[in-house]
Amino acid sequence: MRWPKRIGVGLVVAVGGWLLMLVLVTRLGDGCVRDRFAGRVANRLAAEVKLAEVDLGLVVGELHLRGLEATKVEHGRLELKVEQLDAELAPMGLALVRRDLGRVALRGVTVQATTRGVLSAHGDGDPLRVEEFVLDDGRLELSAGVLVPAFAVKVTVDHARSGPTTLHTPLSWLLTLRELDATVELPVGGDVRAHVEGGVLSMRGGMLGDEPVRIELDLAPPKPGEDAAEREFDRLADLGERIARQGAIAVAKRLLGGKP
């Protein structure tokens, strides 16, 4: 019985030591974690990144970030701001060896981009993989030609939720979208409300009128081995053209006295 007892005591000591180390790393390593995370984002976006605050919990598996700002001027201009980010990590210190994240929730996000190239171009860092992506209180401002050739796109996102996503670009979550409540600002004709549920985009308001225009979403992220960032924008551009075409048809029918 002495050997089993010694083994049990050894396991207890080892687990206790591991937990103590994680607590110490959590208490003393926030600055290092902040710099490392900011560096990873900067490498991926090829941008200048600032991060105000980080709170890391290795034992429980939590990461909380505040005040993330990224600026990029190559191939155009990109400004990305995130007021708050809360992410699930692998618990019990496994996040030290596992880089993927669980649920990631962002609040107070602004993305401003002047060209497609400034969003699709990236550095050498690996893309971040998340199991679930949630966005509340977001703002997208994309100049003409980024997604839709004819006009700029301005979207206020009340709430969005996406499934498992590899974040090749700041817009990757649109290709895994499951829920959306947003307002799209059009250059003419008033604002349009957009709602996504069950793989269907529903739009109403403004020039579209009160009768909803519904579009089946056939979204899929790029396959491994493809130039993911470019392929993402190809698919998003195709979707933007399809939405614009369906919207134009709905407006024409409405003006002619028919129903969408």
Side-chain angles (χ1 to χ4, degrees), residues 35 70 85-86 91 115 117 124 146 208 214 218 230 245 247:
D35 294 343
L85 183 151
D86 301 305
T115 66
D124 298 330
V146 177
L208 299 179
R214 295 184 174 86
D218 184 17
E230 283 294 333
R245 184 166 56 251

Side-chain angles (χ1 to χ4, degrees), residues 115-132:
T115 66
R116 172 172 169 170
V118 76
L119 283 168
S120 60
H122 55 79
D124 298 330
D126 294 331
L128 186 65
R129 296 175 180 83
V130 303
E131 288 299 317
E132 184 180 38

Side-chain angles (χ1 to χ4, degrees), residues 31-244:
C32 295
V33 173
R34 180 182 64 244
D35 294 343
R36 182 178 178 182
F37 189 90
R40 183 176 180 185
V41 175
N43 288 337
R44 182 60 194 175
L45 293 178
E48 294 183 4
V49 175
K50 297 179 181 179
L51 182 57
E53 181 182 342
V54 61
D55 183 11
L56 174 66
L58 288 173
V59 176
V60 296
E62 294 180 353
L63 175 65
H64 307 283
L65 304 177
R66 303 292 183 271
L68 173 65
E69 297 184 5
T71 303
K72 180 178 178 179
V73 294
E74 185 179 2
H75 305 293
R77 183 171 183 85
L78 167 67
E79 291 190 7
L80 169 65
K81 296 181 180 180
V82 180
E83 293 180 4
Q84 177 179 335
L85 183 151
D86 301 305
E88 295 178 351
L89 310 176
M92 301 302 291
L94 295 178
L96 294 173
V97 294
R98 179 183 173 185
R99 306 183 68 180
D100 296 350
L101 302 180
R103 183 179 187 269
V104 174
L106 297 91
R107 180 177 295 276
V109 176
T110 301
V111 179
Q112 297 175 315
T114 60
T115 66
R116 172 172 169 170
V118 76
L119 283 168
S120 60
H122 55 79
D124 298 330
D126 294 331
L128 186 65
R129 296 175 180 83
V130 303
E131 288 299 317
E132 184 180 38
F133 182 94
V134 179
L135 171 61
D136 291 295
D137 186 19
R139 176 78 175 172
L140 306 179
E141 297 183 6
L142 309 178
S143 298
V146 177
L147 286 184
V148 181
F151 52 84
V153 175
K154 296 182 179 180
V155 182
T156 298
V157 179
D158 297 324
H159 173 77
R161 185 178 70 87
S162 298
T165 305
T166 300
L167 295 171
H168 297 284
T169 75
L171 302 182
S172 297
W173 55 275
L174 289 173
L175 289 175
T176 55
L177 195 62
R178 293 181 177 177
E179 298 173 5
L180 175 69
D181 285 299
T183 301
V184 181
E185 300 177 22
L186 299 178
V188 293
D191 297 345
V192 172
R193 288 292 300 173
H195 177 77
V196 172
E197 186 175 5
V200 177
L201 168 65
S202 176
M203 302 182 300
R204 66 168 64 192
M207 295 176 59
L208 299 179
D210 296 329
E211 188 73 19
V213 176
R214 295 184 174 86
I215 300 175
E216 294 282 344
L217 296 179
D218 184 17
L219 301 177
K223 297 179 181 179
E226 295 182 347
D227 187 348
E230 283 294 333
R231 298 291 75 75
E232 280 186 359
F233 277 97
D234 288 342
R235 296 178 188 187
L236 288 174
D238 290 343
L239 176 62
E241 291 179 5
R242 188 153 59 97
I243 292 173

